[in-house]
Amino acid sequence: MENRQVRVVLLHSALGDSRLWKRQIAALEREHHVIAPDLPGWGENPLPTEPFSMVDFTAEFLPGVLVGNSFGGAVALRTALAHPKQVERLVLIAAGLPAWDYTEEMRRYWQAEEQAIEAGDLDAATEVNLEFWVKPEHRNEVRPQQRRALELQTAHEEPELIWPEMGSLSKLTMPTLVVVGTDDHADFHAIAEHLANGIPNADLAIVPGAGHLVGIDEPDELNALLLEFLAESD
């Protein structure tokens, strides 16, 4: 029986742009219709000057399967809550979560990044992000993407970012895969468990040897998880 080609929308982390997914695109596009947009304010997509919604931006690519890493995971989650009938399956990789009670470690990182940006030192802000989130062997790859994002996001006054009301996780009835790397920060292990427990049809996968950017740190393992999860929708 011929497989139904599934549309897969990949939402990148705030550390870079759609290029962070190159290893996943190569693995998935043989069997699936893969879309990996640059979110507004990253890569080739400038930050809007008017109020805008990441959820509305993402919804344009649906229906399909939503896969998000970190900030992209938070966007995927909120899009799935706002448009549950349009999201066939959901993958949340080291997803961020609004209104989470983050640890002191995270708050110190945000403060260091903010201080560098306010000082106008985008190189320093880039390094703050790389040192906190990215394994040393991948920093040269991620650095220009992060630097580009900071340029776009500081090019003009930041517009209002509009979010829909955050609904209950129990409303997410689509099959969901929650992924976190063993080497990620404690907050993201806690969030992953919270999501896996709160979403009715969710499984949790912990990837050995991966940090926050699972798709770069352990691409073969993530690709296998994604291909298996997508095969279940045939």
Side-chain angles (χ1 to χ4, degrees):
M1 187 174 76
E2 194 173 321
N3 285 355
R4 177 176 72 91
Q5 196 174 56
V6 177
R7 171 181 283 198
V8 183
V9 182
L10 303 173
L11 302 179
H12 59 79
S13 99
L15 293 164
D17 49 53
S18 56
R19 291 172 287 177
L20 291 175
W21 291 118
K22 66 182 184 183
R23 299 160 179 84
Q24 284 65 55
I25 294 168
L28 298 178
E29 66 183 0
R30 289 191 286 270
E31 296 176 28
H32 304 292
H33 175 206
V34 181
I35 301 170
D38 287 333
L39 292 169
W42 281 267
E44 299 300 316
N45 196 352
L47 190 68
T49 54
E50 302 294 322
F52 75 103
S53 163
M54 290 284 182
V55 167
D56 289 351
F57 172 83
T58 303
E60 295 286 320
F61 301 104
L62 300 174
V65 175
L66 269 185
V67 180
N69 179 202
S70 191
F71 176 67
V75 175
L77 175 67
R78 297 187 75 155
T79 304
L81 285 165
H83 302 279
K85 289 184 169 61
Q86 295 285 88
V87 179
E88 296 169 25
R89 303 173 89 76
L90 180 63
V91 183
L92 303 171
I93 304 165
L97 198 60
W100 186 257
D101 185 16
Y102 283 98
T103 59
E104 183 61 33
E105 179 194 34
M106 284 291 295
R107 291 198 286 270
R108 280 198 304 270
Y109 147 71
W110 277 318
Q111 186 179 17
E113 182 195 37
E114 189 179 348
Q115 284 174 345
I117 291 171
E118 285 179 355
D121 193 343
L122 300 188
D123 289 334
T126 298
E127 294 309 314
V128 166
N129 277 293
L130 295 174
E131 285 170 21
F132 192 79
W133 296 112
V134 185
K135 288 181 179 265
E137 61 268 30
H138 301 306
R139 288 177 187 168
N140 287 342
E141 176 182 343
V142 177
R143 182 176 287 107
Q145 298 181 44
Q146 174 68 104
R147 183 67 167 70
R148 168 74 177 157
L150 291 171
E151 282 171 24
L152 290 174
Q153 290 160 25
T154 57
H156 55 74
E157 193 68 33
E158 201 170 330
E160 182 192 356
L161 194 50
I162 300 161
W163 294 104
E165 197 69 34
M166 180 87 177
S168 167
L169 296 177
S170 63
K171 293 178 180 172
L172 295 173
T173 57
M174 72 286 292
T176 300
L177 178 63
V178 179
V179 181
V180 69
T182 53
D183 300 346
D184 205 348
H185 297 283
D187 284 285
F188 292 89
H189 283 270
I191 289 170
E193 288 182 20
H194 173 77
L195 292 170
N197 290 331
I199 298 171
N201 196 5
D203 290 319
L204 176 61
I206 299 172
V207 179
H212 198 63
L213 298 178
V214 181
I216 288 183
D217 293 338
E218 295 294 338
D220 293 344
E221 181 66 24
L222 181 61
N223 295 349
L225 284 168
L226 291 174
L227 286 166
E228 182 182 3
F229 185 65
L230 291 166
E232 293 166 10
S233 62
D234 290 341

